[in-house]
Amino acid sequence: MMAEAGTRCMWMRGGTSKGAYFLAADLPAEPAERDALLLKIMGSPDPRQIDGIGGADPLTSKVAVVKRSERPGVDVDYLFLQVFVDKAVVTGAQGCGNILAGVGPFAIERGLVAVRGNETDVAIFMENTGEIATATVTTPAGEPVYEGNATISGVPGSAAPIPLAFEGIAGSTCGSLLPTGNTVDMIDGIAVTLIDNGMPVVVLAAADMGITGEERPKELEADGQLRARLERIRLAAGPMMNLGDVSLKSVPKMTMVAPSRAGYAITTRTFIPHRCHATIGVFGAVSTATAALLPGSPAYRVAVIPAGNRKTVAVGHPEGETSVVLDTENGTVLRTAILRTARKLFDGFVF
């Protein structure tokens, strides 16, 4: 709980995001009181978040709430909260696979999980979606190591690898992989795939939106007509995806796809939902890669997918690519894995 000494907090980079990591016991139990505190901590609502620790971007205004799990075979429960930058909104309507990358190290540092050798698997129940992920943390000296040789696009330098593995995440928010039952639906005259393999995403062809899919995020954000049309489609997609009115929600994400000029399987530009992502979210990449396997979908039409039951799909984005490993059987995705890294930035108290 917050006191004059502040609230205990670890600030971490998780994947290509940054966020504040808290033990559940250190935050108010009542959601409205908790959310009010998080808005104050991040400095929202304010475009600069000047009076808080948020970084004036949705990717740096995130929160992980972690506690020891009472579920069999699970180490910790993880609740992700997105703190809006310029609105007094805190939402748990989605998960976050980037912030997830820091949950394993954080849990070990806080004594929730015992080290089990040179590598420690941490089973994480994702409260937002009801699914389980396994993070493998490098722990050669009895504690997490953050330095290493793994690299991910969108993060300079290298760090220790944190592989994340997922099973059974299809329909985790929308109820099924394809909530309308269709590979392709038409919204506002645009062919779209409404999909949820860990993240609700509207996948549509960049060319259908009048762009190449190679533009820089700022260029796309400056295109008012593009943003308005994306929002019309998103608002229409919400009820179709069993999400209801999404006007104040951060889902579904809007991913425009195009052929890759860089040799990746596919190129993407994603609005999350109103800012263009500098990279792509972990679960957003998984959903988009899955869409690329569905014959007739906008993603399938532009993607180059490897053969075999285990497919590594390089999803291109403005800063490089995110590789998604899909284990399939008869066209069905059974298991996904993705490589992330994390780094502890500070540990102490936030006021």
Side-chain angles (χ1 to χ4, degrees), residues 265-266 289 292-293 304-306 311-315 321-326:
I266 196 169
L293 304 185
V304 178
I305 301 298
K311 306 174 188 295
T312 299
V313 179
V315 179
E321 60 90 17
T322 297
S323 287
V324 180
V325 179
L326 302 171

Side-chain angles (χ1 to χ4, degrees), residues 44-281:
S44 298
D46 172 51
R48 294 194 297 156
Q49 291 183 317
I50 194 64
D51 202 38
I53 64 174
D57 188 288
L59 302 182
T60 57
S61 187
K62 299 185 173 187
V63 169
V65 183
V66 183
K67 63 184 178 183
R68 195 187 308 274
S69 183
E70 297 180 358
R71 305 170 194 275
V74 176
D75 294 304
V76 295
D77 295 345
Y78 151 58
L79 174 67
F80 169 72
L81 296 172
Q82 178 72 61
V83 181
F84 279 48
V85 174
D86 55 356
K87 295 183 177 70
V89 174
V90 180
T91 177
Q94 67 177 76
C96 180
N98 277 304
I99 292 298
L100 172 66
V103 171
F106 173 78
I108 295 171
E109 294 238 20
R110 286 289 188 263
L112 302 183
V113 177
V115 169
R116 301 166 184 141
N118 290 333
E119 292 184 338
T120 300
D121 285 343
V122 181
I124 303 165
F125 178 79
M126 299 177 286
E127 294 188 39
N128 306 78
T129 60
E131 309 296 341
I132 296 173
T134 300
T136 301
V137 183
T138 304
T139 52
E143 60 186 17
V145 170
Y146 296 98
E147 294 184 358
N149 297 320
T151 60
I152 59 174
S153 296
V155 177
S158 62
I162 302 179
L164 302 173
F166 313 99
E167 293 186 40
I169 58 174
S172 54
T173 301
C174 299
S176 60
L177 179 70
L178 299 172
T180 68
N182 304 319
T183 298
V184 178
D185 289 284
M186 299 298 297
I187 302 179
D188 200 29
I190 300 293
V192 301
T193 296
L194 307 180
I195 190 167
D196 173 17
N197 199 13
M199 176 66 69
V201 178
V202 178
V203 181
L204 60 168
D208 288 347
M209 300 300 292
I211 68 170
T212 67
E214 299 282 349
E215 294 86 352
R216 299 304 300 169
K218 292 297 183 184
E219 181 182 349
L220 297 178
E221 287 184 3
D223 188 335
Q225 288 187 336
L226 172 68
R227 292 179 63 181
R229 192 168 195 193
L230 283 172
E231 185 64 1
R232 284 200 305 272
I233 295 171
R234 194 179 79 87
L235 293 177
M240 297 170 68
M241 301 181 75
N242 302 318
L243 298 171
D245 180 3
V246 297
S247 56
L248 292 178
K249 294 181 180 179
S250 55
V251 289
K253 311 303 187 186
M254 305 296 293
T255 296
M256 296 173 286
V257 296
S260 174
R261 299 177 184 174
Y264 306 136
I266 196 169
T267 289
T268 64
R269 294 295 184 269
T270 300
F271 276 73
I272 56 170
H274 304 126
R275 297 282 296 273
C276 188
H277 205 311
T279 57
I280 190 170

Side-chain angles (χ1 to χ4, degrees), residues 1-9 26 37 41 348-351:
M1 298 291 291
M2 189 171 184
E4 290 184 2
T7 302
R8 194 180 186 196
C9 171
D26 291 333
L37 173 60
I41 286 172
F349 293 87
V350 63
F351 297 85

